[in-house]
Amino acid sequence: MTSSVSDPVRLAEALLFQSSGPVSRMTLARALGEDVEIAQIVSQVARRTEGLGFELVAAGDGWMFRTAPDLAESLKAMLERPPERLPRAALEVLLLIAARQPVTRPEIESFRDASLPQ
């Protein structure tokens, strides 16, 4: 598939962004056109992503976006944080809703013997 897109750099960026793995030279050539200089396009994409939270890297027989190395530890720490637990009262309400659907607010308050926060 040959493309007549006016900005091949943007098309290459979009292709790299949507891909779950490395994008090969052949795939880029099919998308951008055989007459486009792939090395020049890849170089422009790399320049345009300098200083962002991700960067273009060579991987296997192609290229892909990866997290910027200086952000990797912060990102890893944030993603590994355990999810916050719900309070016991919230879990009780969810259990009641799951077990007795449909349920009204007064029924929940009666079951818990406490009013629900507004």
Side-chain angles (χ1 to χ4, degrees):
M1 175 174 132
T2 307
S3 175
S4 63
V5 127
S6 62
D7 190 353
V9 176
R10 287 186 63 228
L11 181 58
E13 287 173 342
L15 183 59
L16 288 158
F17 181 77
Q18 67 83 34
S19 178
S20 62
V23 177
S24 69
R25 177 179 292 277
M26 185 183 303
T27 302
L28 285 170
R30 273 196 315 252
L32 304 174
E34 300 296 331
D35 57 331
V36 173
E37 181 58 45
I38 301 299
Q40 182 182 8
I41 299 294
V42 169
S43 176
Q44 288 179 11
V45 170
R47 274 197 307 276
R48 286 170 59 142
T49 59
E50 282 180 13
L52 298 179
F54 58 94
E55 62 182 16
L56 185 66
V57 296
D61 68 339
W63 299 271
M64 66 186 299
F65 287 132
R66 288 216 178 131
T67 302
D70 61 316
L71 299 176
E73 286 301 315
S74 299
L75 186 60
K76 182 179 176 184
M78 183 181 69
L79 293 175
E80 288 181 349
R81 194 174 298 152
E84 293 184 29
R85 296 192 60 159
L86 289 174
R88 183 177 181 92
L91 290 174
E92 288 174 1
V93 169
L94 289 173
L95 177 64
L96 181 63
I97 292 169
R100 296 191 176 186
Q101 282 188 25
V103 65
T104 64
R105 182 186 193 98
E107 289 173 323
I108 294 172
E109 290 174 344
S110 169
F111 179 80
R112 291 197 62 244
D113 199 28
S115 63
L116 294 173
Q118 295 292 330

